[in-house]
Amino acid sequence: MSEAEDRLTRLEELSFFQEEQLRELNDALTLQQEQLDRLEQQVADALAVIRLLRDKLADQPENAPPPHFMPERY
């Protein structure tokens, strides 16, 4: 093979391996984005629960006796 053919073959090999690397990186990035999307949803759900609990606690009097406290028995 001539030098030009050798260089062309080498460039084709490099191109092939770079395309393969790009596919692998794209797959990894896609997987990470899916994980981030799931985590964002979980955080949003957790924040909704926290807000709900905070609102329920805000509705309670500050010095309310616990539910099991029964002063009529003592």
Side-chain angles (χ1 to χ4, degrees):
M1 289 189 354
S2 70
E3 183 180 333
E5 288 175 344
D6 288 343
R7 290 180 66 202
L8 181 60
T9 301
R10 182 71 180 137
L11 288 172
E12 288 173 344
E13 289 172 353
L14 285 172
S15 174
F16 171 79
F17 288 115
Q18 285 178 345
E19 287 176 14
E20 193 64 28
Q21 285 276 305
L22 283 174
R23 264 188 239 108
E24 289 175 11
L25 288 170
N26 185 53
D27 292 344
L29 186 60
T30 301
L31 179 62
Q32 285 182 343
Q33 186 60 51
E34 290 170 359
Q35 290 173 337
L36 279 173
D37 292 342
R38 282 193 304 272
L39 287 172
E40 285 178 347
Q41 185 60 50
Q42 290 173 350
V43 167
D45 293 345
L47 285 173
V49 168
I50 290 170
R51 286 185 187 110
L52 178 66
L53 291 173
R54 184 186 59 205
D55 292 344
K56 281 189 176 189
L57 286 174
D59 292 342
Q60 300 287 324
E62 284 188 35
N63 292 323
H68 64 276
F69 182 70
M70 293 184 252
E72 64 273 359
R73 293 180 114 189
Y74 300 104

